[in-house]
Amino acid sequence: MKKILFFIIFSVIKASALPTVAIFTTGGTISEKTDPKTNDSIPALSGEELIANVPELNKIANIKLIDFCNLDSSQMSPEIWANLSKKVDETLKDPKIVGAVITHGTDTMAEAAFFLELTLKTDKPVVFTGAMKNSSDPYFDGPANILNAVFQVISNKSKNWGVTVNLNQYINSARYVEKTNTTNMQTFESGEKGYLGYINDGIVYRFNDRLYKQKFNIPEKLPKVILYADYSGADGSLLKAAVDSKVDGIVIESFGSGNVNADVYENIKYAISKQIAVVITTRVLYGNVFPIYGDKGGGKELEKIGAIVRGNLRGPKARLLLMLTLPLVEKNHKKLNKYFSVP
Ligand code: ASP
């Protein structure tokens, strides 16, 4: 009896010495299994079941689990991420909680992480993770990724990185990370900006600091912003249809350093005449857009007519930034330049 009592007291003291980490589960492959009848990957694991796959967690942290939702990340939206962002901030107000891990589908994880990077008020580490193989797969990478994400949250080496994406041992900043491979476990990369760090055996190796920090309040209603992917020979009709459908903003995934053809240029002019904000990004993997070319549709001409030709965000992330900044400029769209001119 004495022995049991001693064991209980020892366990309580040990647990209270461990840091507390919040884990938000939201779905994605990491929470899925393969249906044996159809062979489809389907949502399956609750937050509790997912965490039960990682018994090592109990040795390094107390876990506060928040089973937020269970959605494939193709079903996620900026509105859901807005709610998630608020919930994370609210949870991290608790001084006992040192940071948060968010499990999320990988398809839209780069966008989700960027949305939270732009909107979270907390300075505590927030780490996104997920899996490329589901829980029925012999190569299920979920448990190791969750363990690494928690190790990252509790490490002193991960201070001031803001929101990060940690999969397959690599740590990426939310701003520059992109999914680069549809099925390979090494899918998240930050291109020319490089990884922030690496994690091995619970130790964080810090390579880089966060390059840039922007913060915005979440507006009550997010504006309607669409993404138009340009292609050679486009006649501009698709863009015109978007303008006529009454959107607040359009992000153009253009060519090279920020150029479109003459027909698309005319329809960008049409959009701007209707007070729609137009932001030019590029379909090229790396590098900024620049107002260089002077012909009809060249970046310089696009800037002259009022399009924003700045920065190095790819289309989906530029769209999120535009959704958060449009309410701040009250139709004076030139003011958007300062939000997009970042390294
Ligand atoms: N379709 C899945 C999702 O994004 C893919 C994954 O999680 O890896 O939710």
Side-chain angles (χ1 to χ4, degrees), residues 27-30 32 71-74 104-108 131-132 179:
T29 295
I30 196 165
E32 295 188 5
L71 293 172
D72 189 276
S73 75
S74 49
H104 193 284
T106 62
D107 287 352
T108 60
M132 293 300 287
K179 185 174 182 179

Side-chain angles (χ1 to χ4, degrees), residues 2 33 48 57 61 63 104 122 128 132 161 199 209 227 242 283-284 292 295 306 310 331:
K2 237 182 176 177
K33 68 169 192 194
E48 229 158 85
L57 283 178
I63 302 300
H104 193 284
T122 182
F128 272 78
M132 293 300 287
W161 268 341
I199 180 158
D209 292 335
L227 180 59
R283 65 181 192 173
V284 180
I292 300 173
D295 39 298
R310 287 279 181 272
K331 294 283 174 197

